[in-house]
Amino acid sequence: MCEHIEDFHRTVLMLGALALYADMPGADDAFIDTIGPCLAASLPEPPPGMFPPGYDPAGGPDFPGRA
């Protein structure tokens, strides 16, 4: 597996672990609020083939409250 894909998968796993931690009683909210955005910002581009050809992440329906 190439390094790029390994980095992507590792970061996604850490985000998942953080989400599980956030649901635990007594989770440190300051830690979650600090680490979550940092992990999300460090996500590399998804590996080729992860999304179908022509996929546009901004092309979905409008969410409530967004025009």
Side-chain angles (χ1 to χ4, degrees):
M1 193 179 285
C2 76
E3 183 178 325
H4 180 73
I5 292 173
E6 289 175 1
D7 287 346
F8 181 81
H9 287 218
R10 187 179 306 113
T11 305
V12 169
L13 286 173
M14 287 190 287
L15 280 167
L18 184 65
L20 290 173
Y21 171 71
D23 284 340
M24 293 177 60
D28 183 349
D29 290 332
F31 174 79
I32 295 164
D33 291 343
T34 302
I35 300 301
C38 294
L39 280 174
S42 72
L43 269 172
E45 289 293 317
M50 178 157 280
F51 297 108
Y55 175 77
D56 179 12
D62 289 336
F63 291 98
R66 290 175 70 191

